[in-house]
Amino acid sequence: MRLIPVDMTGVTVMVAQPPTTKMRDKKAGVVAVDPESGGTLMTVDVLFVANGNAEVVSVTVPEADISGELATGTPVALTSLVARPWENEFNGQKRHGISFRAAAVTSLVG
């Protein structure tokens, strides 16, 4: 699957929603795990601000690589952010989008 590096030059990033556990299957209660480390994956909603525009996106990151207090509004750094296009079919309907993954999320406070 194609991974596209995200250029973070001139971008301000802050936490929109604190980290939550990413679920592989919500109905069955199955937690998503990192295929490389086997650790739990988390989702952090962040606000990207660049060129006068702002957008909230969800970023997946391994739980072990979240550092610092990530309360709403906390400025953060995203390490090795990549975008991955995806597509699937559910109940006969095709869906597509872009998912984001970072190697780490680090609070810039303190």
Side-chain angles (χ1 to χ4, degrees):
M1 187 156 298
R2 192 170 91 177
L3 296 178
I4 304 164
V6 177
D7 181 7
M8 299 296 292
T9 306
V11 177
T12 300
V13 183
M14 64 187 77
V15 175
Q17 292 290 324
T20 58
T21 303
K22 182 173 179 145
M23 302 303 291
R24 181 176 178 91
D25 183 340
K26 289 181 183 179
K27 289 181 182 178
V30 178
V31 173
V33 296
D34 184 2
E36 293 176 16
S37 70
T40 299
L41 291 174
M42 304 295 285
T43 300
V44 182
D45 289 345
V46 295
L47 178 68
F48 279 77
V49 182
N51 302 321
N53 296 310
E55 186 171 345
V56 175
V57 298
S58 294
V59 177
T60 299
V61 64
E63 183 176 33
D65 297 313
I66 295 174
S67 58
E69 180 66 31
L70 299 185
T72 299
T74 303
V76 293
L78 301 173
T79 304
S80 301
L81 182 65
V82 294
R84 179 186 347 207
W86 59 267
E87 181 176 286
N88 64 26
E89 190 170 327
F90 184 72
N91 288 335
Q93 299 225 322
K94 285 193 175 191
R95 300 175 3 153
H96 62 277
I98 299 172
S99 63
F100 294 90
R101 171 91 185 240
V105 177
T106 307
S107 171
L108 297 177
V109 176

